[in-house]
Amino acid sequence: MRREVLLFFSAHFVCSVFGQVRYSIPEEMSTGSVVGNIVQDLGLDIKRLKSGRARIFTEDGSEYIGLNIEKGTLVVTKRIDREELCKQVSPCSLHFQIILENPMELQRVDVEITDVNDNSPFFSKKEYNFQVSESASSGSRYLLESAKDPDVAQNTIQTYKLNPTDHFKLNTVSRSDGTKYIEMVLHTLLDREKQDEHKLTLTALDGGNPQKSGSVQINVIVLDANDNAPVFSQSVYRVIVPENAPRGTAVVRVSATDSDKGENQEVTYSFSQHTNTVSSLFSIDHHTGEITLIAVLDYEKVKHYEVDIEATDNGGLTDACKVLIEVTDINDNPPIISIISLSNPIPEDAELTTVIAMINIKDLDSGKNGQVHCFINPELPFKIKSSTPNFYSLVSDDALDRETNPVYNITITAVDKGSPAFSANKTINLKISDVNDNAPVFKQPSFTAFVSENNSPGMSLLSVKARDKDDGNNARISYFLEDIQLNGMSALAYFSVNAESGEILAVRSFDYEQLKEFNIRIKAQDGGSPPLSSNVTVKILIQDQNDNPPQVLYPVQTGGSMVAEMVPRSADVGYLVTKVVAVDVDSGQNAWLSYKLQKATDKALFEVGLQNGEIRTIRQVTDKDAVKQRLTVIVEDNGQPSRSATVIVNVAVADSFPEVLSEFSEFPHDKEYNDNLTFYLVLALAVVSFLFITCLVVIISVKIYRWRQEQVFYKSSGNLPVIPYYPPLYADGTGNLKQDFGYEVYGTTDSRRSDVKDLRPFGESTLSVDRSASRTMPRLKTESENLLTEVRSPQLP
């Protein structure tokens, strides 16, 4: 019960030094016993243990101590035997680290294992035999084997007892190196004749509570007299042997001398009975005392050896010495690199000094041979930081860019300071995860597409493509048409874009004559969060098709009128009769016009300019030429296939207007209307002439000349010329009017008061006969009606 109380108080002795936590617990604690509250002692939160996935890391992989994440306590997970764990090393401690992630932390914990008196002293043999000459003098010493007790401090051997003590007593001797050994000292002379054998009991007692002990029987056989015992030249021999010494190496030679003569002077050497454990490593020549190495030494396992040597003469007298063999370290172990924690992959936008890996590097050698220098390639955007002895952190040291380097092969090199130096390598394949830090980029700064007008809706115009340096969803691009105004309408009314492929489609059919080009914007947007985007301008040019025929501007073709151009009979070759003016609303070669004379009353008299549409005479006009000339001119564009328009040009070959008036009144522009008009005029003329012919014959004779001169236009008012329209913007050039024309027109309901005044004539004369005048003007009066009007109306207009 006292022991349990002691263990309880010892287990809860805690100290924290330089960020480390130290506990002290006794050995042999039961599994599940609490070592300490790590959350309280480190100032952590229990939630931090869970979120950081706290775990214990030990360099040797031992699992004596476990972590209870739910309670934040350290517990014993495996029976701890201090003697098995540390042997005679004191203090005995367990060293381990508690590793936390997100962010990474490393907490060092030391647990000292205190000794419990759980072992009794013991001797390697059940009994020991000594041969002692009866002549041995008082004070003769006999080396005894020390007992073993794996415990330490007070729990190890403290005292020895020898019983009985009639002839021998115990003596404890301290060597110069601090070690102790026991010997049996003769204080009362022996007499073989009285007692030839003595049985003694040697008891070893420890200082534990309760105290434990161990015993061994010593048998002393009394021999006949041998006056002098061997004596070693040194009580302690010290020797240094490198751990790489080959088998057969002579370690040391011990020497003892005996003052006796003869056989009693001969000395043999042997390992002491309690040092037989070294017999597997060393051998001793029984005659010369030379100790030889027969096995391989390993400094990392055992650093020094104590060998007890006995020298025995033939009379059984002995002396003892100790050989201390110190093994020196040789750099025969390379560093060992262990990755105890790794964050892989890491995002490319990770901040500087982000911990990527926790590394443990150890070297089993000692001194400089065990000192390690750790490094990586300095050109990498990472560096190695030393946190605690043998522990390093791999951290980021520069900005990362997955698009430039998606993977890094980081080789960690550890080199010790031995000579020759040993090194070790460990490669980490670190992947960089993508962050949406690149916007889509179009292959071109702008795009241009061509589409012919009158296209079918849904027609594909072109595909725009963008690329994104990112990965996964961050590089998945969708295309959108920006809703801007085009000609007062939304761009979506004209075009659409395939969100996946970037294909631009026409929503409707286009007319080049209305709109010749569009400028739209396409947005490429990736699938990141938040998404990134970029725009590109797409120019769509509508190409013209020959879908419009030429339009004749002059001469004007109306249903109720006709235009007649006058050509004097004195006209020379090349005389400009008129000019056919036409336009084509198409563009390019679809609007290039050519003029051809298709039909003519006399093809040998006129020709049409192929490019300018000018109608000219090609020979001298003669009196034989008919007054009425009818020309049919065809205007064709240069499209494929071509389109055309036809215009009829009436030409009067005469020197004066009255000469052709009657001829052109017969032009059948509107046959039904002209026949009715003629009928009414003849009927009216016959009636009026019959009623007034007798009373007005004299007046008519006087006035007839003047009336014809003044009223010639009024009589033929139904056939007055139609004033042609000329576009104001047409100037001299191919296909355009060459001269300007001006008229003053005065019109009333009275045909006698209408007048037309030609201010600027056409190069020659132009006669226009309108057969449809009766549709828009009052009925014409006959000559007799006009004369009667003059008689009744003394005031002339």
Side-chain angles (χ1 to χ4, degrees), residues 175-193:
R175 296 192 180 98
S176 59
D177 61 348
T179 61
K180 295 180 180 182
Y181 65 93
I182 59 174
E183 57 185 13
M184 188 171 60
V185 180
L186 180 66
H187 66 88
T188 301
L189 296 178
L190 299 175
D191 188 356
R192 191 189 65 82
E193 287 71 27

Side-chain angles (χ1 to χ4, degrees), residues 105-179:
E105 292 183 37
L106 190 67
Q107 303 290 345
R108 180 181 176 90
V109 179
D110 294 336
V111 179
E112 181 181 0
I113 310 301
T114 59
D115 187 51
V116 174
N117 192 23
D118 58 343
N119 293 282
S120 298
F122 66 93
F123 294 89
S124 61
K125 293 184 178 180
K126 293 183 179 181
E127 64 180 21
Y128 291 98
N129 297 315
F130 288 90
Q131 292 180 343
V132 180
S133 174
E134 62 178 335
S135 63
S137 60
S138 179
S140 297
R141 296 175 295 127
Y142 301 93
L143 186 65
L144 298 178
E145 175 194 5
S146 298
K148 305 292 184 182
D149 191 337
D151 296 324
V152 295
Q154 284 296 117
N155 296 327
T156 192
I157 298 173
Q158 300 296 319
T159 60
Y160 291 89
K161 291 182 179 180
L162 183 65
N163 188 44
T165 60
D166 297 338
H167 296 279
F168 297 92
K169 65 179 180 181
L170 285 178
N171 185 30
T172 302
V173 182
S174 297
R175 296 192 180 98
S176 59
D177 61 348
T179 61

Side-chain angles (χ1 to χ4, degrees), residues 383-654:
K383 67 179 181 180
I384 292 287
K385 292 176 60 179
S386 177
S387 52
T388 58
N390 298 335
F391 285 89
Y392 301 84
S393 300
L394 176 65
V395 299
S396 59
D397 191 44
D398 201 351
L400 303 176
D401 186 6
R402 187 205 66 82
E403 290 70 40
T404 303
N405 289 302
V407 178
Y408 289 93
N409 289 318
I410 306 172
T411 299
I412 302 169
T413 302
V415 181
D416 61 28
K417 295 184 179 180
S419 180
F422 278 85
S423 64
N425 296 321
K426 191 82 170 183
T427 299
I428 298 176
N429 185 263
L430 181 64
K431 297 180 180 179
I432 309 301
S433 61
D434 186 50
V435 172
N436 192 28
D437 56 348
N438 290 280
V441 177
F442 285 96
K443 294 182 179 180
Q444 301 173 209
S446 63
F447 292 86
T448 302
F450 297 89
V451 57
S452 298
E453 63 174 330
N454 304 317
N455 59 288
S456 58
M459 177 181 178
S460 174
L461 305 182
L462 81 159
S463 292
V464 293
K465 286 294 181 183
R467 59 184 181 89
D468 197 311
K469 294 181 180 180
D470 293 320
D471 189 31
N473 281 337
N474 295 333
R476 185 176 181 180
I477 299 175
S478 299
Y479 300 90
F480 302 95
L481 174 63
E482 289 195 5
D483 189 10
I484 60 176
Q485 293 294 311
L486 299 176
N487 196 32
M489 295 179 63
S490 170
L492 300 176
Y494 292 98
F495 305 98
S496 67
V497 63
N498 187 301
E500 296 293 332
S501 65
E503 183 181 23
I504 300 175
L505 306 175
V507 174
R508 60 172 59 187
S509 179
F510 301 115
D511 187 356
Y512 173 84
E513 287 70 40
Q514 293 182 1
L515 289 172
K516 295 178 173 57
E517 78 174 52
F518 297 91
N519 288 288
I520 61 175
R521 286 198 301 271
I522 302 298
K523 179 173 73 173
Q525 178 175 295
D526 60 29
S529 179
L532 300 178
S533 63
S534 61
N535 297 328
V536 69
T537 299
V538 179
K539 178 184 286 187
I540 299 176
L541 300 176
I542 310 302
Q543 293 182 317
D544 183 49
Q545 284 188 332
N546 193 27
D547 59 343
N548 292 282
Q551 298 177 3
V552 178
L553 301 180
Y554 181 82
V556 179
Q557 302 290 297
T558 62
S561 65
M562 63 180 178
V563 177
E565 305 291 343
M566 289 188 64
V567 177
R569 295 188 179 275
S570 59
D572 295 329
V573 176
Y575 176 83
L576 178 61
V577 178
T578 187
K579 186 174 186 177
V580 177
V581 180
V583 294
D584 195 317
V585 295
D586 293 324
S587 65
Q589 67 179 8
N590 293 331
W592 296 352
L593 302 180
S594 59
Y595 303 84
K596 297 178 182 178
L597 184 61
Q598 186 181 40
K599 295 180 181 180
T601 303
D602 188 352
K603 286 190 175 183
L605 182 57
F606 303 101
E607 69 174 358
V608 179
L610 180 63
Q611 303 297 331
N612 55 24
E614 293 180 351
I615 300 177
R616 296 179 179 271
T617 59
I618 57 176
R619 61 175 176 81
Q620 184 72 40
V621 179
T622 63
D623 294 337
K624 297 180 181 180
D625 291 325
V627 175
K628 294 188 298 182
Q629 297 287 336
R630 184 183 180 90
L631 309 179
T632 302
V633 178
I634 184 170
V635 184
E636 291 183 338
D637 58 29
N638 199 36
Q640 292 294 330
S642 64
R643 292 176 175 267
S644 62
T646 303
V647 61
I648 296 175
V649 180
N650 296 307
V651 180
V653 180

Side-chain angles (χ1 to χ4, degrees), residues 694-713:
T694 304
C695 62
L696 296 178
V697 64
V698 176
I699 298 173
I700 291 174
S701 299
V702 174
K703 297 291 186 177
I704 189 63
Y705 178 78
R706 187 176 64 179
W707 180 84
R708 287 186 177 275
Q709 294 297 325
E710 294 181 356
Q711 300 298 325
V712 66
F713 288 98

Side-chain angles (χ1 to χ4, degrees), residues 60 64 80-87 92-94 113:
D60 57 2
Y64 293 104
I80 302 175
D81 186 351
R82 192 206 66 80
E83 289 73 28
E84 178 184 353
L85 184 65
C86 298
K87 294 182 172 54
C92 178
S93 298
L94 291 174
I113 310 301

